[in-house]
Amino acid sequence: AKISLNGEEYVAGTPVDFTAEQKFVVQAESGKSKRTYTVTCYKMSDFKSNFDTWELKNANLAESNQYEEPANGWGTSNEGVKWIKLYPKLYGPEDPYAVTQSDDAKSGKAARLETLNTTGQAGIGSFIPAIPVVTSGSVFTGTFKVNISNTLKSTLFGYPCFKQPVAFKGSYKYTPGTTYYYCAEPATKANEVVVDNSKTDLPAMNAVLYEVSSYGFEYLDGTNLLTSDNIVAIASVDGKAQAQYTDFNVSFKFLNNKTFDATKKYKLAIVCSSSKDGDKFSGAPGSVLLLDDLEVTF
């Protein structure tokens, strides 16, 4: 195959300036077909955001499919909500997305995460997964790519990290929803929940350093963010209901006598959710987490 960049054949090994969007054209050996790949790179070496800048996603689609996400490499659960909106009897096109920007901020803008009641629907074979009753709002360093076989694997957490993280800090407000729903079988029956009056919803705010053998295709996801054997260190916030913005500054704790080794490869994930057990499709619809000035220090 032949690869072209800016109208000229690309020579392997030639440096490319990825501070700007680049379009590569790949032409088949036969010359009969070609495809254009658009590459956008984000610099996440500082791992922080004040959530003042947002980007519109799916601008070429219907308005109900459009949503905003924090700029510069942050993902959200909004893409999952977009797919649920395909079933208007469960969650309508006019209903809000789980993550939005808010003027209720410590300064500038903030990220507003809300746990939604998306009604729930049983899956159909291996082609259509179960739609959950509880869909939490989440914001994270990484991307969301729908995984039909296991929706918990749709969240791809983390970016390459080249320095030892010291602490995770930021500011938050939290209001729990009124009714907590518990899902016993999140992997296969996210549509089946029971009310648990003994529980009050809590937020989740975690920064996780984990080891990889390759930067390209290894991620933590919704199934193993806090349990993977590859985890090296975690900074976890003990969040609770807060009527006013509350600052936190949590040190990273290295697990099982592990240390940061500059000769190894690591990724770092910042993951926050409006429901602590949202990755298990449990939580209280109406729970709202407001986040501002998140940062990992090194």
Side-chain angles (χ1 to χ4, degrees):
K2 182 188 296 183
I3 303 176
S4 299
L5 176 64
N6 298 323
E8 298 181 359
E9 184 173 355
Y10 176 72
V11 178
T14 303
V16 179
D17 179 9
F18 284 111
T19 59
E21 181 178 274
Q22 300 288 359
K23 294 182 182 294
F24 293 86
V25 178
V26 181
Q27 186 174 31
E29 184 178 7
S30 65
K32 296 180 179 180
S33 62
K34 63 182 179 181
R35 171 172 275 179
T36 299
Y37 295 88
T38 301
V39 182
T40 304
C41 293
Y42 298 105
K43 181 181 179 181
M44 293 299 300
S45 59
D46 49 5
F47 290 95
K48 63 182 179 181
S49 179
N50 58 14
F51 298 111
D52 287 351
T53 306
W54 293 65
E55 298 174 336
L56 179 66
K57 301 295 183 179
N58 302 324
N60 60 328
L61 300 180
E63 186 175 350
S64 62
N65 297 136
Q66 298 176 17
Y67 56 82
E68 290 186 313
E69 288 189 338
N72 298 323
W74 291 80
T76 73
S77 54
N78 283 343
E79 181 67 13
V81 176
K82 187 198 82 172
W83 284 89
I84 295 174
K85 282 174 175 278
L86 296 175
Y87 303 86
K89 292 183 179 180
L90 304 180
Y91 198 74
E94 72 286 350
D95 290 324
Y97 277 91
V99 179
T100 55
Q101 62 172 302
S102 175
D103 291 326
D104 185 1
K106 188 173 181 181
S107 64
K109 301 286 186 179
R112 183 183 187 275
L113 287 57
E114 181 173 359
T115 299
L116 308 175
N117 186 333
T118 47
T119 307
Q121 178 175 283
I124 302 175
S126 59
F127 298 101
I128 301 179
I131 295 174
V133 173
V134 177
T135 299
S136 61
S138 61
V139 64
F140 52 88
T141 54
T143 58
F144 190 104
K145 184 176 181 181
V146 174
N147 186 317
I148 295 297
S149 62
N150 187 339
T151 53
L152 291 174
K153 293 186 176 182
S154 298
T155 46
L156 306 178
F157 298 136
Y159 287 113
C161 178
F162 308 106
K163 297 179 288 185
Q164 179 176 331
V166 174
F168 174 40
K169 66 179 185 178
S171 189
Y172 80 101
K173 290 171 63 173
Y174 187 69
T175 304
T178 56
T179 304
Y180 189 96
Y181 293 100
Y182 169 71
C183 179
E185 299 183 54
T188 56
K189 297 180 180 179
N191 59 301
E192 296 184 8
V193 297
V194 295
V195 174
D196 187 346
N197 291 319
S198 68
K199 279 197 170 185
T200 299
D201 211 355
L202 296 169
M205 293 167 280
N206 298 289
V208 181
L209 180 73
Y210 63 99
E211 186 178 347
V212 295
S213 57
S214 170
Y215 291 125
F217 303 100
E218 293 181 48
Y219 301 90
L220 296 185
D221 55 47
T223 68
N224 62 358
L225 174 65
L226 300 177
T227 60
S228 171
D229 291 337
N230 290 339
I231 295 173
V232 176
I234 297 177
S236 185
V237 181
D238 185 18
K240 58 184 179 181
Q242 298 285 0
Q244 304 298 327
Y245 270 100
T246 301
D247 296 338
F248 62 84
N249 192 336
V250 181
S251 298
F252 276 83
K253 294 182 179 179
F254 283 79
L255 308 183
N256 302 320
N257 296 317
K258 294 181 179 179
T259 59
F260 186 88
D261 183 344
T263 66
K264 295 182 178 180
K265 295 182 175 68
Y266 299 97
K267 283 187 173 182
L268 177 61
I270 300 173
V271 184
C272 301
S273 173
S274 54
S275 289
K276 189 172 185 176
D277 291 324
D279 56 348
K280 303 177 182 67
F281 299 122
S282 297
S287 295
V288 174
L289 172 63
L290 286 155
L291 294 169
D292 208 353
D293 299 332
L294 294 189
E295 180 181 1
V296 169
T297 57
F298 296 89

